[in-house]
């Protein structure tokens, strides 16, 4: 129903991530409407009755009664029922019930329905209920950003398209999930090809559907790395569905990478408004504010994020980064402890922080030791990442022997990965850092420079600065302060998470302490 009503351009529909959180709530309709910023609420009861037993003893088609109610909620006044009607049907008629309810709601809202709109509302996503069930199970996992959960979602979407090869929504989600996994895990040609197949299938099934543009945008962004094409896809989708929060987030992410920061902020804010209880929307908004160094606003956005997802490792990561950007390492450590106190899985948290954004140094000594005891499985079985984290931790702890041993393990794993994807700039930068740990100066600098050339800031204003940051770390590991500062200075003059406050507390920059150029940067001059 949400998807069908979202197709009506004159109606703004709160996104799934926000509305689903009110299942079984005890809050009043006024409270819900106020929190969502919505004028109307569509609620319903669903009653199930078993079907008659068949000849083989198996229940026949189950029957259900759906009693929807469209309520208009006014500030300071009692809610008013605008429409209510019970529907009786068998489970096999569930899509017809959806279409009937959607049309009745549209009529009650005063929306004029043309023939194309009526056809869209009546369209069935699939004729296979088992495929739809698998699709919904994938949807419950889709918003995760960790590779293991994404793999589980992919499994459900693959089930859905295996049961119905013409299921557009499932193909679109499969495409987006495969593309995300390519960008967040060890990339392989096979995964890139699988993402392409799913994207092409979605585009063929629905060339003018918003779902297919979401899929295409994700493929262009995560797999191809063409942010201009990614934005073009999201923008085309928004012309069809201007209130689609996922398309708005995608457009904002592409605009960040293109360096269009004000536009990115506008799209991210609009996505958060339309999806006010979505942790994904909240963290996207927090991220762009952090990179733009708008810290008071970022703190407010983070407060919203932590209220929505207090035990998500990404929440803790952004909280720590926001504190570090303001030069407060104590608050960063406190936010890690708060996540643990809230019940977050410590293994997942430590592995996440040790890997993403190189925050291993925020962990205290006991947490670092627990991280060193983690197996490769804690890092999605990516032996390169696992070994990199170990090398970095031993380097920070001053154990040069173990640092070099694990740097060599990481080097070998990275070489194997780069044989399959030689133009992966981020992994080239990691290889350069490991070579620097091994003292191979010329090779380390060459890999770092090649990484920067593969992902220049001018092409990707999000990943490019991070890759250049790794080149700074390479020069520092090789004892070259001036080349390191040459690469560091520009990062303080553009949107990025490094800041003067961060420089003052990050031990990575300890070799630069006392250098006049560095001290000016750390003082914000």
């Amino acid at each position: 129903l949400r998807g069908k009503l979202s197709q009506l351009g004159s109606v703004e529909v709160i996104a799934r991530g926000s509305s689903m959180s009110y299942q079984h709530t005890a809050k009043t309709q006024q409270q819900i409407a106020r929190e969502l910023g919505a004028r109307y609420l569509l609620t319903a009861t669903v009653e199930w009755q078993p079907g008659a037993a068949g000849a083989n003893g198996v229940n026949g088609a189950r029957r259900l009664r759906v009693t929807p109610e469209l309520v208009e909620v006014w500030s300071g006044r009692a809610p008013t029922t605008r429409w209510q009607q019970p529907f009786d049907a068998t489970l096999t008629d569930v899509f017809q019930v959806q279409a009937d309810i959607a049309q009745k709601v549209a009529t009650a809202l005063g929306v004029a329905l043309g023939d194309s709109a009526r056809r869209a509302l009546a369209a069935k996503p699939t004729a296979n209920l088992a495929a739809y069930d698998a699709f919904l199970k994938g949807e419950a996992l889709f918003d995760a950003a960790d590779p293991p959960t994404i793999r589980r979602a992919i499994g459900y979407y693959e089930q859905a398209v295996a049961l119905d090869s013409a299921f557009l929504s499932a193909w679109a989600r499969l495409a987006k999930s495969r593309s995300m996994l390519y960008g967040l895990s060890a990339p392989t040609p096979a995964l890139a090809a699988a993402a392409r197949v799913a994207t092409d299938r979605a585009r063929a099934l629905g060339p003018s559907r918003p779902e297919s543009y979401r899929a295409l945008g994700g493929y262009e962004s995560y797999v191809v790395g063409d942010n201009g094409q990614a934005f073009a896809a999201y923008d085309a989708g928004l012309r069809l569905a201007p209130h689609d929060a996922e398309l708005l987030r995608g457009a904002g992410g592409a605009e960040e990478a293109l360096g269009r920061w004000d536009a990115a902020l506008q799209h991210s804010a609009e996505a958060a408004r339309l999806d006010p209880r979505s942790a994904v929307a909240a963290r996207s908004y927090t991220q762009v504010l952090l990179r733009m160094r708008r810290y008071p606003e970022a703190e407010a956005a983070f407060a919203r994020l932590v209220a929505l997802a207090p035990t998500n490792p990404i929440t803790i990561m952004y909280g720590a980064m926001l504190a570090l950007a303001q030069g407060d390492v104590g608050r960063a450590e406190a936010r890690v402890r708060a996540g643990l106190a809230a019940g977050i899985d410590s293994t997942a948290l430590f592995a996440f922080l040790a890997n993403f954004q190189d925050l291993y140094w925020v962990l205290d000594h006991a947490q670092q030791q627990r991280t060193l005891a983690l197996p490769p499985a804690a890092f999605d079985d990516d032996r390169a990442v696992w070994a990199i984290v170990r090398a970095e931790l031993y380097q920070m702890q001053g154990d040069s022997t173990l640092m070099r041993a694990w740097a060599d393990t990481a080097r070998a794993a990275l070489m194997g990965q780069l044989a399959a994807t030689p133009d992966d700039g981020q992994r080239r930068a990691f290889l350069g850092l490991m070579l620097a740990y091994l003292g191979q100066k010329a090779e380390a600098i060459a890999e770092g420079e090649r990484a920067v050339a593969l992902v220049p800031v001018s092409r990707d204003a999000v990943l490019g600065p991070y890759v250049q940051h790794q080149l700074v770390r390479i020069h520092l590991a090789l004892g070259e302060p001036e080349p390191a500062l040459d690469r560091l200075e520009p990062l303080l003059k553009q949107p990025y998470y490094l800041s003067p406050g961060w420089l003052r507390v990050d031990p990575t920059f300890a070799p630069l302490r006392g250098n006049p150029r560095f001290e000016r940067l750390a003082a914000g001059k």
Side-chain angles (χ1 to χ4, degrees):
L1 273 170
R2 183 185 304 105
K4 287 184 179 297
L5 293 171
S6 296
Q7 297 174 42
L8 304 174
S10 57
V11 179
E12 290 185 1
V13 182
I14 296 298
R16 178 183 184 278
S18 292
S19 55
M20 288 293 285
S21 66
Y22 289 101
Q23 286 187 324
H24 312 298
T25 184
K27 293 182 177 180
T28 67
Q29 292 177 333
Q30 290 96 332
Q31 287 175 304
I32 296 171
R34 184 170 57 252
E35 291 178 4
L36 294 176
R39 180 174 172 182
Y40 295 91
L41 300 179
L42 178 60
T43 67
T45 59
V46 181
E47 300 171 83
W48 292 93
Q49 296 177 339
N56 59 0
V58 178
N59 280 348
R62 296 179 70 194
R63 294 194 62 80
L64 69 156
R65 164 169 282 206
V66 182
T67 307
E69 181 182 13
L70 181 67
V71 178
E72 186 170 12
V73 184
W74 298 89
S75 176
R77 291 164 54 183
T80 303
T81 297
R82 291 290 299 270
W83 167 78
Q84 183 179 39
Q85 179 180 338
F87 290 83
D88 289 292
T90 62
L91 180 57
T92 54
D93 295 330
V94 66
F95 297 124
Q96 182 60 52
V97 173
Q98 290 178 354
D100 290 344
I101 294 174
Q103 291 190 27
K104 296 287 188 181
V105 169
T107 300
L109 291 173
V111 177
L113 296 178
D115 289 342
S116 61
R118 290 184 185 278
R119 285 195 298 270
L121 293 180
K124 295 181 180 181
T126 175
N128 189 309
L129 290 176
Y132 196 58
D133 186 57
F135 170 75
L136 292 178
K137 289 176 179 176
E139 291 291 271
L141 302 170
F142 177 75
D143 282 340
D146 62 289
T149 306
I150 294 173
R151 292 183 199 278
R152 290 173 56 207
I154 286 173
Y156 286 121
Y157 295 136
E158 288 174 340
Q159 288 180 33
V161 299
L163 291 164
D164 180 0
S165 62
F167 192 170
L168 165 61
S169 296
W171 277 112
R173 281 297 201 225
L174 180 58
K176 186 70 175 287
S177 297
R178 285 174 172 173
S179 296
M180 288 170 59
L181 185 62
Y182 183 91
L184 295 172
S185 67
T188 65
L191 184 54
R196 178 80 250 185
V197 167
T199 302
D200 287 346
R201 182 64 175 154
R203 296 285 294 138
L205 288 169
S208 59
R209 292 287 301 151
E211 299 98 313
S212 67
Y213 285 108
R214 292 189 210 125
L216 181 60
Y219 178 79
E220 294 289 352
S221 176
Y222 287 104
V223 181
V224 180
D226 189 331
N227 295 295
Q229 287 300 312
F231 176 77
Y234 289 127
D235 188 52
L238 284 170
R239 286 196 289 274
L240 296 168
H243 307 307
D244 187 304
E246 188 178 336
L247 285 169
L248 286 164
R249 289 200 308 269
E255 286 164 330
E256 284 185 73
L258 292 168
R260 304 173 187 168
W261 292 95
D262 289 337
L265 183 61
Q266 180 179 351
H267 275 127
S268 297
E270 180 67 0
R273 185 185 71 81
L274 289 171
D275 208 353
R277 293 188 63 80
S278 165
V280 179
R283 71 187 183 220
S284 296
Y285 188 43
T286 302
Q287 173 184 282
V288 66
L289 289 167
L290 167 65
R291 290 178 177 274
M292 294 179 75
R293 302 187 181 92
R294 295 170 63 158
Y295 300 131
E297 294 165 88
E299 285 286 355
F302 171 70
R304 183 67 173 165
L305 174 59
V306 78
L308 293 169
T311 59
N312 190 308
I314 303 177
T315 299
I316 308 307
M317 180 189 75
Y318 280 129
M321 293 177 71
L322 186 53
L324 295 172
Q326 297 171 85
D328 193 341
V329 69
R331 183 150 48 116
E333 294 169 343
R335 285 175 170 170
V336 173
R337 293 193 298 272
L340 293 170
I344 194 170
D345 178 79
S346 59
T347 295
L349 178 60
F350 297 158
F352 195 91
L353 293 178
N355 177 16
F356 291 97
Q357 311 302 337
D358 312 306
L359 293 176
Y360 58 90
W361 57 273
V362 177
L363 303 175
D364 64 30
H365 182 74
Q367 293 166 349
Q368 290 175 25
Q369 294 305 112
R370 288 185 59 187
T371 304
L372 287 168
L374 296 177
F379 299 89
D380 195 39
D381 284 319
D382 188 333
R383 294 186 67 85
V385 170
W386 175 62
I388 289 170
V389 167
R390 295 173 75 83
E392 290 173 329
L393 286 171
Y394 283 123
Q395 188 269 347
M396 191 174 68
Q397 294 178 4
D399 192 329
S400 58
T401 300
L402 286 175
M403 175 199 72
R404 285 192 294 270
W406 286 106
D408 192 55
T409 299
R411 178 200 60 78
L414 287 164
M415 291 290 287
Q417 293 174 351
L418 286 167
T421 55
D423 293 334
D424 187 323
Q426 182 171 244
R427 289 184 185 259
R428 285 278 170 204
F430 294 156
L431 176 59
L433 182 60
M434 294 301 102
L435 291 170
Y437 281 4
L438 292 167
Q440 299 179 28
K441 179 177 178 179
E443 296 88 344
I445 294 174
E447 289 293 347
E449 294 286 358
R450 183 177 179 185
V452 169
L454 285 168
V455 194
V457 174
S458 59
R459 196 187 84 187
D460 192 325
V462 174
L463 182 57
Y466 178 75
V467 170
Q468 185 163 312
H469 185 176
Q470 300 311 302
L471 183 53
V472 173
R473 298 180 68 199
I474 289 169
H475 283 299
L476 290 176
L478 293 170
E480 298 184 328
E482 295 306 314
L485 284 163
D486 290 340
R487 291 292 186 173
L488 178 61
E489 284 182 340
L491 297 180
L492 275 295
K493 299 176 182 177
Q494 63 192 65
Y496 187 50
Y497 65 78
L498 287 185
S499 66
W502 191 298
L503 299 187
R504 293 194 295 269
V505 298
D506 187 343
T508 301
F509 299 108
L512 295 174
R513 303 273 192 265
N515 182 298
R517 288 177 65 189
F518 176 78
E519 295 301 336
R520 283 195 295 273
L521 291 177
K525 298 179 181 178

